[in-house]
Amino acid sequence: MWPVVAGLAVIAVVFGSINNHFLSPENLANLALQMAATGTISLGIVMVLLLGEIDLSAGSVSGLCAVTMAVLHVRHGWDPVPAIGVALALGLAIGLLHGLMVTRIGMPSFVVTLAGLIGWQGLLLYLLGQGGTINLPFDGLLARLSDTWLPNWIGWLLAALIVGAWTAGGLISRQVRRRAGLPHHSALRLAINLATLALALGAAVMILSADRGVPLLLVIFGALVVATDLVLQHTAFGRWMYAVGGNAEAARRAGINVRRIRVIAFMAASFFAALGGMLAASRLAAVNQSSGGSDTLLMAIAAAVIGGTSLFGGRGRAYAALLGILVIQSITNGMLLLNIDSSMRYMVTGGVLAIAVAIDSLARRGNPR
């Protein structure tokens, strides 16, 4: 991930030197809000990419689930919590359907999710009906979600808790692995990683506190990233994910239920897509025919790959979604501040994606050697 971090530093220096507003607390707070929804969808893309699969329906699923939530809440008068629950359950059901079609029928995930991209978009339009747009109440729970800013002391408290938990986890893991005779990080490396994390979190809280505070959407997205990474790195299920993505046949012979792992991965992808769609609806306080459309899917996939997730499976972390979407949104935000045409923005993003895939391919080619 260090090349991605270095790329972020270069982006900050370049756009910050050209436009002073780029690194201002107000702009960085807006950047944090912009990346939460697409980053959450990208988190689901990471799950399927780890298996060497793909989900092209994530954008349509995010829009469909957001529209379902809005229809139940606004048109039928449901409370927001049950409406959100039904929308998330719909996302899980769609992922289950995709997973069964891939594992039981043997259809390629590309074809299954491409059909889903078209079909779920059609169902979204059907649910919207002639109106085309559903506005969420500005005083409701969903609309307030994206307009909630945590006080400064809560931001510092969260940063301290994260650093403390990471330190305790690192020390315990190092001690356990050392007693078992397994490779482990040196105390110096743990100290460097801890200092880097503390500086990054401290700088983020300080900058955001200078504006309106830490946005709740960013906290939700960050919590999802941390929780997903803990599952992938420190549970048997996470080890199985990497095993299946690295070599499915070897994983099967080792006793891993490969079909079940694939189904769960597609369910997770659709669940995160549904959650990301509702975060996007909260920020816009509305859903419409373009919900989950435009470049949402492309940016989610690009973020996962740019962040370091391999397209060939078996390599990547949940933090790839965070770093990748931060790169993409920083480029987009910087170009918008400079009034650069959107055509150039797409070309630059495509170039960055191509470079990331090229690095991944070269690294994979060099591994056997």
Side-chain angles (χ1 to χ4, degrees):
M1 295 184 182
W2 287 111
V4 185
V5 176
L8 282 172
V10 171
I11 292 172
V13 170
V14 171
F15 285 115
S17 60
I18 297 175
N19 191 309
N20 295 330
H21 186 62
F22 179 76
L23 295 177
S24 66
E26 179 185 2
N27 187 59
L28 293 179
N30 292 331
L31 182 62
L33 287 176
Q34 293 166 3
M35 71 181 193
T38 307
T40 301
I41 299 174
S42 181
L43 198 56
I45 298 296
V46 169
M47 300 294 287
V48 292
L49 288 183
L50 285 176
L51 302 182
E53 304 287 354
I54 190 64
D55 188 351
L56 299 179
S57 67
S60 297
V61 172
S62 69
L64 172 62
C65 293
V67 167
T68 301
M69 176 269 300
V71 168
L72 294 176
H73 177 49
V74 177
R75 292 184 177 175
H76 297 283
W78 284 34
D79 289 334
V81 174
I84 292 174
V86 170
L88 293 176
L90 175 61
L92 288 173
I94 291 174
L96 176 62
L97 176 62
H98 290 169
L100 292 177
M101 293 174 71
V102 171
T103 58
R104 298 296 180 179
I105 303 178
M107 298 174 62
S109 60
F110 179 89
V111 177
V112 171
T113 56
L114 179 62
L117 183 153
I118 301 171
W120 304 129
Q121 180 68 24
L123 182 56
L124 179 153
L125 298 176
Y126 175 80
L127 291 178
L128 282 176
Q130 299 296 327
T133 300
I134 301 177
N135 294 317
L136 300 177
F138 284 102
D139 57 346
L141 172 64
L142 294 168
R144 291 201 308 267
L145 187 64
S146 60
D147 196 30
T148 299
W149 305 81
L150 302 180
N152 296 343
W153 67 271
I154 294 183
W156 287 110
L157 177 61
L158 288 175
L161 291 175
I162 292 173
V163 172
W166 190 94
T167 303
L171 292 175
I172 293 174
S173 176
R174 181 174 182 270
Q175 185 177 7
V176 170
R177 295 179 68 87
R178 183 175 59 182
R179 288 180 177 177
L182 298 173
H184 57 274
H185 296 316
S186 64
L188 177 60
R189 180 171 179 178
L190 287 176
I192 293 175
N193 291 341
L194 174 61
T196 303
L197 176 64
L199 287 174
L201 290 176
V205 173
M206 183 180 299
I207 293 173
L208 294 174
S209 297
D211 183 44
R212 288 159 287 181
V214 179
L216 180 59
L217 283 187
L218 180 61
V219 174
I220 294 174
F221 175 45
L224 291 173
V225 171
V226 172
T228 304
D229 191 73
L230 289 175
V231 170
L232 291 176
Q233 298 296 319
H234 300 287
T235 66
F237 170 76
R239 297 294 92 193
W240 296 340
M241 286 279 292
Y242 286 106
V244 173
N247 191 318
E249 180 60 22
R252 185 187 67 80
R253 296 191 179 193
I256 299 174
N257 192 327
V258 176
R259 286 184 175 179
R260 181 184 301 169
I261 296 299
R262 284 180 170 153
V263 170
I264 293 175
F266 278 101
M267 292 177 66
S270 294
F271 175 82
F272 282 120
L275 190 55
M278 285 184 282
L279 292 180
S282 171
R283 184 167 178 268
L284 297 176
V287 294
N288 51 45
Q289 296 174 346
S290 63
S291 294
S294 184
D295 58 355
T296 300
L297 171 65
L298 299 179
M299 291 304 171
I301 296 177
V305 176
I306 291 173
T309 305
S310 175
L311 286 169
F312 305 101
R315 188 169 72 250
R317 295 188 64 172
Y319 292 107
L322 173 61
L323 293 175
I325 196 61
L326 190 55
V327 169
I328 292 178
Q329 289 294 348
S330 297
I331 293 174
T332 301
N333 183 272
M335 289 189 172
L336 289 176
L337 289 177
L338 298 177
N339 292 322
I340 296 178
D341 188 74
S342 60
S343 59
M344 182 61 66
R345 175 171 62 87
Y346 284 120
M347 287 188 285
V348 171
T349 304
V352 173
L353 176 60
I355 293 173
V357 175
I359 293 175
D360 180 35
S361 300
L362 293 174
R364 181 180 174 84
R365 186 187 305 173
N367 281 339
R369 300 197 188 102

